Amino acid sequence: MSADFAPINLTNHFLIAMPGLSDELFGRSVVFMCEHSERGALGLVINKPSDILLPRLFEKVDLPMGRDDLALQPVFQGGPVQTERGFVLHEAIEGGEGESVYASTLSIPGGLEMTTSKDVLEAMASGAGPRKVFVTLGYASWAQGQLESEITENSWLTVEADPSVIFDAPVSERYERAMALLGLQPWMLSPDAGHA
């Protein structure tokens, strides 16, 4: 990456795939960025459901599903990395001294947390846990400078994340709703990436 560019931090932003991005996983995808630093980036695709529902995932880890409100929620394909591992994006739940109540949690500026430890699933199994949850298998990652390079190649649009797109919008509308945060609709953009 050139020294001419100021570093950008896209933590708590959406990456929205440009219409011309035809990659099977990332085409028409919206990625919530959990972490972005000079070392690289990590995010979760929020609009690619798998064919597994949460009760089946709980069954696989020998836990009962203690939450009727989550019985029909799909597990999402969060990205191509560690697809056998679960990631739970949820509203922040603080324990004592401002720390998360779960063992392995990344606090994301803006009020969300991403937990990878089983204790969050155990809390949900008992009927507790965070009210708003989004569960994926796998995540997306970029090496140092890779995401910035893809953005300059017109692969992605970026906008500050709105949690309602993740937790409240129907899956089929998440791409359009993320675009709308920029005042855009997909038909307004050319599917051909390029530079003027």
Side-chain angles (χ1 to χ4, degrees), residues 12 32 34 44 46 67 70 73 86-95 99-117 119-121 123-124 128-136 163 166-167:
N12 193 38
F32 174 75
C34 300
L44 301 173
I46 66 164
R67 299 263 304 269
L70 302 176
Q73 185 168 317
F87 298 83
V88 181
L89 185 65
H90 57 87
E91 58 200 349
I93 296 182
E94 290 185 6
E99 294 187 7
S100 176
V101 298
Y102 305 116
S104 184
T105 297
L106 171 68
S107 291
I108 302 163
L112 297 181
E113 295 179 336
M114 183 190 65
T115 300
T116 57
S117 50
D119 54 354
V120 69
L121 297 179
M124 292 162 59
R131 290 289 104 198
K132 294 188 179 217
V133 296
F134 174 83
V135 180
T136 75
I166 302 167
F167 299 114

Side-chain angles (χ1 to χ4, degrees), residues 64-192:
M65 171 49 89
R67 299 263 304 269
D68 291 341
D69 62 315
L70 302 176
L72 298 177
Q73 185 168 317
V75 175
F76 285 77
Q77 300 171 51
V81 182
Q82 292 190 347
T83 55
E84 71 294 336
R85 188 168 176 202
F87 298 83
V88 181
L89 185 65
H90 57 87
E91 58 200 349
I93 296 182
E94 290 185 6
E97 302 173 31
E99 294 187 7
S100 176
V101 298
Y102 305 116
S104 184
T105 297
L106 171 68
S107 291
I108 302 163
L112 297 181
E113 295 179 336
M114 183 190 65
T115 300
T116 57
S117 50
K118 191 175 177 182
D119 54 354
V120 69
L121 297 179
E122 291 166 346
M124 292 162 59
S126 70
R131 290 289 104 198
K132 294 188 179 217
V133 296
F134 174 83
V135 180
T136 75
L137 290 174
Y139 65 94
S141 69
W142 292 263
Q144 179 180 3
Q146 182 182 2
L147 179 58
E148 292 83 350
S149 176
E150 290 181 15
I151 290 170
T152 61
E153 293 166 2
N154 293 326
S155 295
W156 302 100
L157 294 169
T158 63
V159 66
E160 188 170 339
D162 177 349
S164 71
V165 175
I166 302 167
F167 299 114
D168 304 325
V171 175
S172 62
E173 296 176 17
R174 290 180 185 173
Y175 184 76
E176 286 77 11
R177 292 220 188 160
M179 280 272 190
L181 294 172
L182 289 166
L184 297 172
Q185 294 178 18
W187 61 265
M188 296 173 164
L189 300 170
S190 168
D192 301 317

